[in-house]
Amino acid sequence: MPVARFMGESNAHYYAFRDPLGSAGDFITAPEISQMFGELVGLWLADIWTRAGSPPDPIYCELGPGRGTLAKDALRSMAQFGLRPKVHLIEGSPALRAIQSEAVPGAHFHEDMASLPEDRPLLLVANEFFDALPVRQLVRTEAGWRERMVGLGEDDRFVFVAGDQPMDSAVPDRFASCDQGTIIETCPAASAVMSEIARRLAVQGGVALAVDYGHLASRTGSTLQAIARHAKVDPLADPGTADLTAHVDFAALAEAADVPGVRCLGSATQGAWLSSLGIDARAASLSKAAPERAGEIEAARSRLVDADQMGELFQVIAFAGADWPDAAGLAL
């Protein structure tokens, strides 16, 4: 089967029956590392909403909200500035929905964006959402470009193989003459979601913020990986028991959002973005209020912003309706 189908079906099974987050799970995300992350997301949203004229009845929408920690922290921060939006969470996992309901009482749940209200401004956040969407991989063989597949090898183990159908027409011109063995990735699902977000921003107004690990410019190579118990494992072993992810192509997201009525507000590394929003001052404030936790707070700040941790690997990009203002911390 194609890599995209293997990844999609594995993750569907994986997320349906477990809470994968936290020290007892398989991985930890920025909101779980420190409340500072969610608080600064909320501050960022409140700032741009205020400068947009505080349009009435906005909705806060989060894609793949994990345990609801980000939403809870962001909403608390937004409320300090008079921003109290209705909450709509896009979540397909029954296990995670139960946890999110406790973190954010009164939240409205959706399987996808199709049932979201379309008559009010949208404040949308996608933190570590796009990386879990299935990627399509193409590989250059001696016979030309082929789709990368997952098949059975010796001992009935899954292995990567090249498909038998020519795929040269699906390869962008800039990659057409790459060397044999080159792999390129695309994520049709991410482009489709981003296109829907852009359509809504053009119609409803509002802003969309995406934070994920990946790269700002398209490039070659497989980035497919699997995480279980906070360590990388073989992505083909025991499908459905590990989180399969791939680096997000932020250039492709920007291309999908390039529609009339929507503009890109810019991008930044996570470290630079959080620093520009005042994470150092917030860490100092939290440490002053709880001196016994100062070391823990500094370790969390460092993990979020340092170049050798999440600061450079994770990228931030944002889009807005055409008449919404520029956003803090981002550059075109």
Side-chain angles (χ1 to χ4, degrees):
M1 67 173 68
V3 166
R5 180 180 171 189
F6 180 86
M7 184 178 177
E9 294 189 5
S10 296
N11 276 350
H13 180 83
Y14 175 79
Y15 280 101
F17 302 105
R18 73 190 73 209
D19 170 14
L21 296 162
S23 58
D26 291 322
F27 58 91
I28 189 167
T29 60
E32 303 294 333
I33 292 172
S34 172
Q35 69 187 70
M36 294 183 288
F37 184 84
E39 288 173 345
L40 291 175
V41 168
L43 175 65
W44 185 88
L45 289 171
D47 172 67
I48 194 170
W49 172 77
T50 300
R51 290 186 292 107
S54 304
D57 301 322
I59 64 171
Y60 173 86
C61 173
E62 190 174 338
L63 308 184
R67 288 177 168 174
T69 304
L70 170 55
K72 179 180 67 176
D73 291 339
L75 290 165
R76 183 178 65 251
S77 184
M78 285 186 270
Q80 297 177 18
F81 299 91
L83 175 55
R84 296 178 175 83
K86 297 292 186 181
V87 179
H88 293 259
L89 304 178
I90 310 298
E91 179 58 70
S93 166
L96 288 175
R97 279 192 181 191
I99 298 171
Q100 293 156 12
S101 294
E102 294 184 7
V104 190
H108 302 275
F109 288 97
H110 307 263
E111 289 287 333
D112 53 41
M113 295 182 66
S115 56
L116 282 177
E118 296 204 27
D119 59 349
R120 60 203 68 181
L122 182 65
L123 307 174
L124 184 141
V125 176
N127 179 65
E128 291 199 51
F129 169 79
F130 287 105
D131 67 284
L133 298 181
V135 293
R136 183 186 195 187
Q137 293 188 335
L138 301 179
V139 57
R140 179 72 182 268
T141 71
E142 61 180 6
W145 288 95
R146 299 291 185 268
E147 183 151 14
R148 202 175 188 217
M149 316 283 278
V150 175
L152 285 177
E154 296 180 2
D155 302 324
D156 288 336
R157 294 183 178 180
F158 288 124
V159 295
F160 291 112
V161 297
D164 56 6
Q165 297 298 313
M167 298 298 295
D168 299 77
S169 61
V171 177
D173 291 341
R174 62 184 179 278
F175 297 132
S177 59
C178 287
D179 294 337
Q180 185 174 326
T182 298
I183 296 170
I184 60 173
E185 292 178 340
T186 61
C187 189
S191 295
V193 171
M194 194 67 246
S195 294
E196 172 62 8
I197 292 171
R199 183 192 70 80
R200 286 178 170 272
L201 291 176
V203 172
Q204 299 173 232
V207 62
L209 175 74
V211 185
D212 228 312
Y213 67 93
H215 39 271
L216 295 177
S218 299
R219 62 190 188 191
T220 62
S222 173
T223 67
L224 180 66
Q225 65 178 21
I227 301 293
R229 298 189 181 278
H230 303 274
K232 290 185 178 181
V233 298
D234 181 353
L236 300 186
D238 300 319
T241 64
D243 177 41
L244 298 188
T245 65
H247 286 205
V248 175
D249 184 344
F250 282 80
L253 292 185
E255 183 176 349
D258 187 14
V259 300
V262 175
R263 63 194 190 94
C264 180
L265 299 179
S267 60
T269 64
Q270 176 177 293
W273 185 68
L274 291 174
S275 294
S276 72
L277 297 184
I279 192 172
D280 291 347
R282 181 56 178 151
S285 175
L286 290 173
S287 294
K288 184 177 180 180
E292 71 281 3
R293 295 183 56 234
E296 172 192 342
I297 292 166
E298 171 54 25
R301 186 209 64 80
S302 176
R303 186 170 180 182
L304 290 171
V305 305
D306 283 2
D308 61 348
Q309 301 211 33
M310 297 176 72
E312 294 289 338
L313 177 59
F314 281 70
Q315 314 293 329
V316 181
I317 196 168
F319 306 90
D323 57 350
W324 276 58
D326 291 337
L330 301 177
L332 291 170

